[in-house]
């Protein structure tokens, strides 16, 4: 387990001059980078204004505005098909990887609009990492899985240390430290997911997005991942989409409820508040119906 | 809540033949099961049997005629001294040209079409046409090559022309096989790469291509095997029945194993028939070795993944 | 409707609470009548009834806890379970207090009474019973507007309480009554005031159930609201 003292030591190592990250040579613009190699608390929150997301001409999400607080966990809940996954993928410009998909609106990462004209999405995706619903480790060794992202982003520090640090932060180090050369596929589902978390951490993002990270996992793995998230928020900002309401209630500080009024409508943010309010006394009836399971 | 709509009535139709709502005897169904198992087994057996008979027949005739002299002599009108060497080397040269031209082009085109191109009507038309091209008779490619490579480009009836024609012939097959292999790579793997801030080329180079390579290689192997055995296009550009020399450079005249075999098989003398059989055996051996080598290569990539 | 069986269990639980409430209300009714008519037998019949109420209360608590463990309730379901436990507690305490009053009545059956004080006690008893029934009714119908008025009625009880305490300190001219009766009269004043309190609190719990706000906060907001929003 990473103790606070160890975190401070790692911070010192990470901020040493030889660990400063190489700038991406082919990026069309220099988006103001967060202090390279910093493992300290991220002061970066996100502010979304009037975000809409499209698949071709179909509007999947409309009019979403929210403030994502730095170093907090924000959960997004709501019935199936109301755009939560589409929305979260807009936050790191993964949505537009699909050829016909696009998004409109403003998404501020700190004081940068990530949808501004001259911003390179490739750069954004390093700063805003993503963990997916089904664990998708690379078909490489455990070590390579964690190191690869850092390598292509030009990491020039000590790779062994980076891999170990990332695996520790993902609460996986003790289980794999003796088999780093083995394939990532040899791990259990829960371990694979933590491996995916570790590789995301290795590129030192500021925000971590998670799209139902534990929905394919057993309860014990789920609990480990939830514990990891509670640790992660000390250094990163976390946004998580989840179908599991108890999970949202357990681990998040803020909760956003997405809702569709009629079939075929775009999804919208129906209520957004501190988690304890959403789960004890929400303002809107649809929110209360959903969290009490009276939906549908 | 009404009982009838969701209750299961287990009392219905009780009788000695039937247990409730379902038939209890499954004997007839098992019978069909066995029947079809036998049927598909017989189909396989038939194919293997015919192939086996052909190989045995050819082998019995041809194997005795294989000698060092046979393998290292030039062609000749005399059955006694005729050898396979120019044909073997010719086939190897052709294979070389095809490898260098068709494989990179095919894999590259497939990657572009699958990874970079948008799903527009142009792309779809291209896809349909590539499938069509794969089915075009090889003689057509021969005639095309005759007009384009032999005359317009002026390469003459050279090994370069032959190689280029064969490349064109198997290019669609390689493209299709590689596209399938690339498509089989789950999108989640690419997304994992993108989410770490990788460019598309980086995701292709480090993840998609290594994973697609085994499948692509399988298709390529099949295509190359076909190329070694193609006779019609080479005939179309006028490859000679036998040569008394070895190919020296890309613009040499040449012969290849299928042509040589075809020509020997056409001679009336029985000695040539035996030579043809011997040639077939050698061709089969070469195919076997190259296939085995390629499969070994594919397995090596798969194990590394 | 989804979670129909859970909803059914919640409804049953509330039904059980209301059932207990009716029983306790019945005991209160008997107590009031026993005071009004000086009926010793009626008072005696109520003795020991608090044991039954405590047992019922424990059952309801357990049912509520099991529901919470099994069904992971949130928002209004969670507030309902909390309210159920709170109301059950008020009902059980009220039942016990009512029994204590009957106990006192039975013990002092033939004793001399101070007539003014007795009249005051009877009025207090009637008021407490009414407030209790009102609170229970508010809970049954979730009528939170009346809950605000109930808070106001609590003031009336305080007034009666002061009057009664005054009369206890200063015996009337018609006769102070037997000392043992006088002592118990002081206790009964206290018990009746408590019963009224429980009734008011049941109403207040209902406000929390419906709005998620404690009634004190709701009252304060109500009192501090801008009466003339247009600035007249």
């Amino acid at each position: 387990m990473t103790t606070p003292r160890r975190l401070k030591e790692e911070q010192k190592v990470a901020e040493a001059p030889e660990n400063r990250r190489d700038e991406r040579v082919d990026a069309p613009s220099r988006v103001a980078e967060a202090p390279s190699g910093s493992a300290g608390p991220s002061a970066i929150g996100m502010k979304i204004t009037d975000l809409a997301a499209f698949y071709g001409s179909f509007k999947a999400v409309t009019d979403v505005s929210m403030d994502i607080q730095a170093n907090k966990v924000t959960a997004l809940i709501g019935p199936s098909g109301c755009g939560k996954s589409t929305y979260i993928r807009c936050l790191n410009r993964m949505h537009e990887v699909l050829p016909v998909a696009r998004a409109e609106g403003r998404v501020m990462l700190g004081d940068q609009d990530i949808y501004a004209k001259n911003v390179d999405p490739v750069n954004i995706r390093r700063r805003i990492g993503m963990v997916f619903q089904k664990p998708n480790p690379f078909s490489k060794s455990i070590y390579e899985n964690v190191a690869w992202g850092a390598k292509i982003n030009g990491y020039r520090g000590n790779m062994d240390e980076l891999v170990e640090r990332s695996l520790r932060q993902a609460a996986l180090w003790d289980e794999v430290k003796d088999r780093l050369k083995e394939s990532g596929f040899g791990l259990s589902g829960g371990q694979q997911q933590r491996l995916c978390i570790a590789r995301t951490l290795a590129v030192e993002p500021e925000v971590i997005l998670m799209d139902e990270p534990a929905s394919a996992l057993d309860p014990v793995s789920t609990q480990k991942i939830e514990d990891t998230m509670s640790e992660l928020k000390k250094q990163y900002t976390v946004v998580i989409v989840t179908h599991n309401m108890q999970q949202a209630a357990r681990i998040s500080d803020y909760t956003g409820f997405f809702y569709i009024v009629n079939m075929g409508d775009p999804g919208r943010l129906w209520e957004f508040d501190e988690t304890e309010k959403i789960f004890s006394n929400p303002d809107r009836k649809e929110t209360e119906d959903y969290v009490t399971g009276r939906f549908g | 809540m009404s009982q009838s709509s969701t209750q299961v009535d287990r009392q219905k139709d009780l009788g000695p033949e039937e247990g409730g709502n379902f038939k209890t005897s499954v004997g007839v169904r098992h019978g069909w099961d066995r029947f079809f198992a036998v049927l598909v087994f017989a189909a396989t057996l038939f194919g293997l049997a015919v192939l086996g008979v052909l190989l045995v027949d050819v082998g019995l005739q041809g194997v005795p005629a294989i000698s060092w002299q046979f393998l290292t002599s030039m062609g000749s009108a005399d059955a006694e001294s005729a050898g396979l060497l120019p044909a073997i080397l010719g086939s190897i040269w052709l294979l070389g040209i095809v490898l260098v031209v068709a494989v990179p082009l095919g894999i590259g085109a497939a990657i572009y079409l699958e990874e970079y191109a948008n799903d527009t009507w142009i792309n779809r038309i291209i896809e349909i046409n590539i499938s069509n091209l794969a089915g075009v008779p090889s003689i057509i490619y021969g005639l095309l090559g005759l007009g384009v490579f032999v005359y317009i480009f002026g390469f003459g009836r050279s090994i370069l022309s032959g190689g280029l024609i064969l490349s064109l012939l198997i290019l669609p097959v390689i493209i299709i096989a590689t596209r399938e292999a690339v498509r089989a790579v789950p999108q989640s793997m690419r997304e994992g790469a993108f989410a770490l801030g990788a460019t598309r080329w980086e995701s292709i180079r480090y993840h998609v291509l290594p994973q697609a390579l085994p499948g692509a290689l399988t298709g390529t192997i099949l295509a190359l095997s076909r190329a070694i055995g193609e006779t019609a296009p080479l005939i179309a550009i006028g490859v000679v029945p036998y040569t008394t020399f070895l190919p020296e450079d890309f613009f040499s005249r040449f012969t290849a194993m299928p042509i040589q075999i075809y020509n020997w098989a056409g001679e009336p003398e029985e000695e040539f028939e035996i030579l043809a059989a011997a040639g077939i055996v050698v061709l089969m051996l070469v195919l076997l070795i190259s296939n085995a080598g390629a499969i070994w290569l594919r397995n090596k990539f798969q194990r590394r993944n | 409707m989804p979670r129909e069986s859970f909803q059914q269990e919640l409804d049953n639980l509330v039904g059980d609470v209301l059932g207990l409430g009716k029983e306790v209300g019945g005991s209160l009714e008997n107590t009031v009548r026993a005071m009004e008519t000086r009926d010793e037998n009626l008072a005696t019949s109520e003795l020991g009834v608090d044991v039954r109420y405590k047992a019922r209360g424990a059952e309801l608590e357990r049912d509520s806890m099991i529901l919470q463990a099994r069904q992971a309730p949130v928002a209004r379901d969670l507030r309902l379970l909390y309210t159920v436990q709170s109301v059950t507690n008020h009902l059980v305490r009220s039942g016990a207090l009512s029994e204590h009053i009957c106990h006192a009545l039975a013990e002092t059956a033939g004793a001399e009474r101070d007539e003014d004080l007795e009249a005051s006690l009877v009025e207090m008893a009637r008021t407490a019973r009414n407030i209790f029934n009102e609170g229970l009714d508010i809970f049954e119908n979730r009528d939170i507007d009346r809950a605000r008025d109930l808070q106001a009625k609590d003031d009336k009880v305080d007034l009666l309480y002061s009057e009664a305490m005054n009369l206890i300190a200063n015996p009337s001219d018609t006769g102070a009554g037997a000392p043992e009766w006088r002592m118990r009269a002081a206790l009964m004043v206290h018990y009746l005031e408590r019963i009224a309190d429980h009734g008011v609190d049941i109403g207040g719990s209902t406000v929390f159930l419906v709005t998620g706000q404690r009634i004190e906060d709701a009252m304060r907001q109500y009192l501090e609201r801008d009466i003339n929003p247009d600035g007249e």
Side-chain angles (χ1 to χ4, degrees), chain B residues 85-144:
Chain B
L85 187 62
I88 294 177
L89 283 179
S91 284
I92 291 176
W93 274 71
L94 284 175
L95 199 61
I97 294 174
V98 168
L99 263 173
V100 164
V101 173
V103 174
L105 276 182
I107 293 184
I111 290 179
Y112 171 76
L113 289 170
E114 276 303 306
E115 294 282 324
Y116 288 93
N118 292 322
D119 186 25
T120 56
W121 58 273
I122 298 179
N123 193 3
R124 276 183 231 137
I125 288 181
I126 292 177
E127 186 164 352
I128 294 173
N129 280 326
I130 289 178
S131 300
N132 288 339
L133 285 171
V136 165
S138 50
I139 185 77
I140 308 280
Y141 281 98
L143 295 174
L144 171 72

Side-chain angles (χ1 to χ4, degrees), chain C residues 103-138:
Chain C
H103 194 82
L105 288 175
E107 280 183 338
T108 59
E112 282 279 320
R113 294 152 194 237
D114 177 337
E115 294 197 353
D116 290 342
L117 183 52
E118 190 179 22
S120 174
L121 279 174
V122 167
E123 205 195 330
M124 260 194 95
R126 287 191 191 125
T127 311
R129 176 207 53 201
N130 293 345
I131 288 181
F132 177 86
N133 288 337
E134 178 87 356
L136 197 57
D137 200 47
I138 288 171

Side-chain angles (χ1 to χ4, degrees), chain A residues 107-131:
Chain A
V107 176
M108 305 296 289
L109 174 68
D111 54 7
Q112 294 279 328
D113 180 5
I114 70 175
Y115 279 97
K117 273 262 157 51
N118 58 345
V119 168
D120 182 13
V122 167
N123 197 4
I124 293 299
R125 293 183 203 127
R126 182 198 65 74
R127 297 178 65 195
I128 306 178
M130 183 168 249
V131 176

Side-chain angles (χ1 to χ4, degrees), chain C residues 4-134:
Chain C
E4 199 170 317
S5 59
F6 173 48
Q7 188 61 50
Q8 191 64 50
E9 285 182 280
L10 286 175
D11 294 342
N12 291 345
L13 185 62
V14 171
D16 290 344
V17 171
L18 290 173
L20 178 61
K22 295 279 184 308
E23 284 185 46
V24 171
S27 281
L28 263 183
E29 191 58 47
N30 288 346
T31 304
V32 170
R33 219 151 358 103
M35 286 179 80
E36 282 169 342
T37 58
R38 296 195 190 180
D39 188 339
E40 183 187 346
N41 291 330
L42 190 54
T44 315
S45 74
E46 282 291 317
L47 294 186
V49 83
D50 62 331
V51 174
R52 202 174 77 229
Y53 291 154
K54 284 208 182 85
R56 294 280 289 116
E59 265 176 45
L60 288 171
E61 249 180 48
R62 201 203 64 203
D63 290 345
S64 177
M65 192 186 83
I66 288 176
L67 264 186
Q68 197 156 352
R70 284 178 46 233
Q71 299 282 3
V74 291
R76 62 170 179 257
D77 298 333
L78 186 60
R79 298 201 305 271
L80 178 60
L81 287 179
Y82 269 78
T83 307
V84 155
Q85 287 176 68
S86 165
V87 169
T88 302
N89 194 38
H90 288 311
L91 294 178
V92 169
R93 294 304 312 144
S94 301
L97 289 165
S98 160
E99 196 266 358
H100 295 337
I101 294 174
C102 287
H103 194 82
L105 288 175
E107 280 183 338
T108 59
E112 282 279 320
R113 294 152 194 237
D114 177 337
E115 294 197 353
D116 290 342
L117 183 52
E118 190 179 22
S120 174
L121 279 174
V122 167
E123 205 195 330
M124 260 194 95
R126 287 191 191 125
T127 311
R129 176 207 53 201
N130 293 345
I131 288 181
F132 177 86
N133 288 337
E134 178 87 356

